[in-house]
Amino acid sequence: MMTVQLYLVTFMVLLIDWSGSTKIDLENDKSWTNVCGFDSGDGGMQVSGKLLSVIEDPEKGTLVLVENKHSDVYIKCVNEKGNAKIYDENGHVLAESNPEASSVQLLLWKAKLTTFWKSEKYLKCTKRSTGCSVTVIEIKDGTQFRSNCTQGEGEGEEGVLWCNVKDWLENAFATKNHMMECNETDQYDNEAHYKFSIFNQETKKWNNCGEYDQDRKKTHRDQNVHFMKCKTSGLAVWGEESLLVKMEKIHASKTSIGLSFLGAGPDCQESTYFMIEDNSNESVEPFLSKSSSLVIAVLLFILFMILFVCVLKVCKGKMLTYEPSRTLTSFTNQSILICQ
């Protein structure tokens, strides 16, 4: 009996170990997608993770939209001539290979680790003019930061999209300094102002959205903003294709406000991005995947078998302790009581 129990326990441990090792292997099995290439054709940049889209922005160049809900996001620089390096927007080396190696990779975001800001990274592969650069953007889909968008109804509301952005703003207000790029708040001339815009795939431009209070009246105070109102005329039909929304935080400088004709920039500026879509007909995803459900079912079956064997052993031991002098009726009654 002890041998049977030992086999069952050993089998359960091996099953758990197998399921864990399988998960690790899947996580380490990266697939790469090209997102930019050298003019010389001997290198480029690749991304690993959930790639949503690659679009061209007239101001920032190539935008690589990714999601880290279920997997890590990596960027790789490939240089067939060797000594591959990844640089940031200030020319600092973030990762480099051995002189003999032709590629180097860099972890951008861990799976399921989402912050409200720090969702935009400019990266370049090699400093030469033949190299290439991209801006990788971690997209939020509303799982953690909620939004509720509906098409406008009634006269004058054709081609209008209303989105409740109160949750976005509350998260922005509550974010600690170390979790954002513009973290030297005491050094800026003005407090942050927030603005919203959606990307037009046809014109390759960002269309600004209006800011409204809870009564859907125009407001210029960020604390009172509940809704953004965006014109979707000329955009892909909402419900058939997702819309990319950019939320910007801007610390305007005194020069940019008082002497705007000089073209002075803000003291600091950063952005976060959301992908919004029509979820009215979307089915709810199951809480557990099929593979997870199968593993749990097997474990529960094994546990039940162990308990069943233990109960049989106890009942058998009790039944063997009866006295031969007792009648068959007495023995039967006692056995039934013991097993109950």
Side-chain angles (χ1 to χ4, degrees):
M1 189 65 64
M2 289 298 296
T3 304
V4 174
Q5 295 179 29
L6 181 60
Y7 284 156
L8 289 172
V9 173
T10 303
F11 177 75
M12 184 168 62
V13 172
L14 290 175
L15 180 63
I16 294 173
D17 181 69
W18 171 82
S19 62
S21 62
T22 302
K23 181 179 180 181
I24 293 174
D25 291 341
L26 290 175
E27 289 177 351
N28 291 332
D29 184 19
K30 302 186 188 72
S31 59
W32 298 93
T33 303
N34 294 322
V35 290
C36 76
F38 295 174
D39 294 336
S40 58
D42 56 1
M45 301 191 81
Q46 301 174 348
V47 68
S48 173
K50 179 66 176 298
L51 177 62
L52 300 178
S53 181
V54 179
I55 61 178
E56 294 298 325
D57 186 311
E59 297 180 0
K60 296 185 177 182
T62 302
L63 302 183
V64 180
L65 312 183
V66 298
E67 182 184 270
N68 67 331
K69 186 192 300 185
H70 301 297
S71 60
D72 298 338
V73 177
Y74 284 84
I75 193 76
K76 180 194 287 186
C77 170
V78 179
N79 185 4
E80 298 298 340
K81 296 181 179 180
N83 196 22
K85 295 182 180 180
I86 299 177
Y87 297 87
D88 65 10
E89 59 185 337
N90 298 315
H92 300 142
V93 177
L94 301 178
E96 60 181 319
S97 66
N98 297 325
E100 299 81 12
S102 61
S103 67
V104 62
Q105 57 183 272
L106 176 68
L107 174 65
L108 301 181
W109 291 283
K110 292 284 293 182
K112 300 180 181 180
L113 182 60
T114 302
T115 58
F116 193 82
W117 301 108
K118 292 190 175 182
S119 58
E120 185 177 26
K121 298 181 185 293
Y122 174 87
L123 303 164
K124 185 174 183 179
C125 182
T126 80
K127 272 190 173 181
R128 302 195 307 271
S129 58
T130 56
C132 68
S133 61
V134 297
T135 299
V136 187
I137 295 173
E138 180 257 318
I139 297 294
K140 297 162 181 61
D141 66 350
T143 302
Q144 183 173 354
F145 305 103
R146 298 185 304 275
S147 65
N148 182 19
C149 299
T150 56
Q151 292 279 17
E153 299 178 356
E155 186 178 355
E157 290 288 304
E158 298 84 1
V160 170
L161 182 69
W162 287 91
C163 291
N164 190 324
V165 296
K166 187 62 177 177
D167 184 68
W168 297 358
L169 286 166
E170 288 178 350
N171 277 278
F173 296 152
T175 303
K176 303 298 182 182
N177 281 355
H178 69 281
M179 300 300 290
M180 54 189 178
E181 299 293 347
C182 296
N183 52 20
E184 299 178 352
T185 53
D186 57 340
Q187 301 297 320
Y188 306 139
D189 294 334
N190 294 281
E191 294 184 356
H193 168 65
Y194 300 89
K195 59 182 294 188
F196 305 89
S197 57
I198 57 177
F199 189 73
N200 189 324
Q201 292 277 18
E202 301 296 329
T203 63
K204 307 298 181 184
K205 294 182 179 179
W206 291 95
N207 296 346
N208 291 330
C209 302
E211 300 165 11
Y212 294 79
D213 61 18
Q214 60 183 349
D215 298 321
R216 298 196 176 190
K217 295 181 179 180
K218 189 75 175 179
T219 181
H220 298 285
R221 293 179 56 85
D222 293 323
Q223 290 77 6
N224 297 335
V225 174
H226 278 70
F227 295 93
M228 71 173 186
K229 178 183 178 182
C230 311
K231 293 183 178 180
T232 57
S233 300
L235 297 176
V237 178
W238 185 57
E240 296 180 3
E241 186 172 335
S242 301
L243 296 179
L244 179 61
V245 180
K246 176 170 64 173
M247 176 179 174
E248 296 177 89
K249 178 174 67 173
I250 303 170
H251 289 273
S253 63
K254 292 180 179 179
T255 305
S256 64
I257 295 177
L259 302 173
S260 57
F261 61 89
L262 296 177
D267 287 336
C268 191
Q269 180 175 343
E270 60 183 317
S271 304
T272 189
Y273 298 80
F274 301 87
M275 195 72 80
I276 59 175
E277 56 187 25
D278 187 356
N279 296 320
S280 58
N281 297 320
E282 185 176 290
S283 58
V284 179
E285 295 183 0
F287 178 73
L288 294 174
S289 64
K290 292 183 178 179
S291 58
S292 299
S293 301
L294 179 60
V295 171
I296 292 175
V298 173
L299 292 177
L300 290 175
F301 176 75
I302 293 173
L303 180 61
F304 172 77
M305 290 300 297
I306 292 175
L307 292 175
F308 181 71
V309 171
C310 292
V311 170
L312 286 180
K313 182 180 177 182
V314 172
C315 288
K316 184 177 180 181
K318 294 291 186 179
M319 291 171 66
L320 291 176
T321 59
Y322 76 96
E323 298 179 7
S325 59
R326 295 185 179 180
T327 63
L328 179 61
T329 303
S330 176
F331 165 74
T332 305
N333 292 338
Q334 288 185 19
S335 300
I336 295 173
L337 289 173
I338 292 173
C339 291
Q340 288 179 343

